C-alpha cells in the first residue's frame, strides 16, 4: 500500500487518534459523542487522503484553489485575516486576566470573534465556489479545443 501524504497520515494517526482516545477516556455525555463523530470523520478523511491517489489529487487541488482564493481576497494580509477570530479571543482573555472586572470586554471580544469567523468563512466559501466554477469552465474549454 502506497502512502501519498506522510504528513497527513501522521497528523491523522497521532493527533486525530490521540485526541480520539483522550475523548473516549474522559467521555462525559452527548457533546463528547458528537466530538467523537467529528474526529472519526476527520481521521477517516485523513487516511483516505494518505492512501488514495484520487483523494490526494483532489486534496492538492483544493489546497491550491484555497491559496489562490486567499491571495485574491486578502493579498499579503491573508495570515492576519485568517487568524483574526483567534486574535479577538486571545485579546479578550488577556484583558480579563489583567482587569477581571472587565468581563463585558471578554464577551465583546468573543462576539467579535464569532462575527468575524462567520463573515470570513461565508466570503471564503462563496469565492471558493466561484473559483471551482471557473476551473470547470476552463477545463471544459480546454477539452473543447482539443476535440476540434
Amino acid at each position: 500500500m502506497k502512502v501519498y501524504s506522510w504528513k497527513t497520515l501522521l497528523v491523522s494517526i497521532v493527533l486525530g487518534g490521540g485526541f480520539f482516545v483522550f475523548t473516549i477516556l474522559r467521555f462525559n455525555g452527548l457533546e463528547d459523542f458528537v466530538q467523537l463523530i467529528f474526529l472519526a470523520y476527520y481521521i477517516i478523511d485523513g487516511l483516505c487522503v494518505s492512501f488514495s491517489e484520487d483523494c490526494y489529487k483532489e486534496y492538492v487541488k483544493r489546497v491550491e484553489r484555497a491559496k489562490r482564493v486567499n491571495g485574491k481576497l486578502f493579498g499579503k494580509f491573508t495570515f492576519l485575516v485568517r487568524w483574526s477570530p483567534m486574535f479577538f479571543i486571545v485579546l479578550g482573555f488577556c484583558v480579563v486576566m489583567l482587569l477581571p472586572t472587565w468581563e463585558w470586554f471578554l464577551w465583546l471580544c468573543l462576539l467579535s470573534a464569532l462575527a468575524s469567523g462567520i463573515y470570513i468563512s461565508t466570503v471564503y466559501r462563496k469565492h471558493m465556489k466561484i473559483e471551482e466554477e471557473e476551473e470547470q469552465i476552463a477545463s471544459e474549454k480546454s477539452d473543447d479545443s482539443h476535440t476540434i
Side-chain angles (χ1 to χ4, degrees), residues 41-52:
Y41 170 77
Y42 285 116
I43 291 169
I44 292 169
D45 189 46
L47 293 174
C48 177
V49 168
S50 299
F51 292 118
S52 170

Side-chain angles (χ1 to χ4, degrees), residues 28-133:
N28 192 21
L30 181 64
E31 61 274 351
D32 285 338
F33 182 70
V34 172
Q35 188 173 9
L36 285 173
I37 291 171
F38 280 115
L39 285 169
Y41 170 77
Y42 285 116
I43 291 169
I44 292 169
D45 189 46
L47 293 174
C48 177
V49 168
S50 299
F51 292 118
S52 170
E53 184 177 6
D54 294 335
C55 290
Y56 178 71
K57 286 180 180 179
E58 182 62 34
Y59 171 75
V60 169
K61 284 173 42 178
R62 194 172 53 233
V63 168
E64 289 172 358
R65 186 180 314 127
K67 286 180 183 179
R68 281 194 312 273
V69 168
N70 282 331
K72 287 179 183 178
L73 286 176
F74 311 120
K76 62 182 178 181
F77 299 108
T78 297
F79 179 78
L80 295 174
V81 173
R82 288 180 53 215
W83 285 96
S84 65
M86 186 59 72
F87 169 75
F88 284 121
I89 293 170
V90 170
L91 176 67
F93 281 111
C94 287
V95 168
V96 168
M97 294 293 268
L98 296 173
L99 303 166
T101 58
W102 282 28
E103 187 177 306
W104 62 270
F105 189 78
L106 174 65
W107 288 108
L108 178 68
C109 286
L110 290 176
L111 288 174
S112 298
L114 180 65
S116 68
I118 289 172
Y119 176 75
I120 291 167
S121 66
T122 303
V123 169
Y124 181 74
R125 275 197 199 121
K126 176 184 168 189
H127 286 276
M128 283 288 283
K129 286 181 183 178
I130 292 170
E131 188 75 22
E132 186 175 1
E133 290 170 358

Side-chain angles (χ1 to χ4, degrees), residues 126-143:
K126 176 184 168 189
H127 286 276
M128 283 288 283
K129 286 181 183 178
I130 292 170
E131 188 75 22
E132 186 175 1
E133 290 170 358
E134 289 175 357
E135 284 178 7
Q136 288 176 352
I137 291 170
S139 70
E140 289 173 3
K141 285 183 180 179
S142 68
D143 289 344

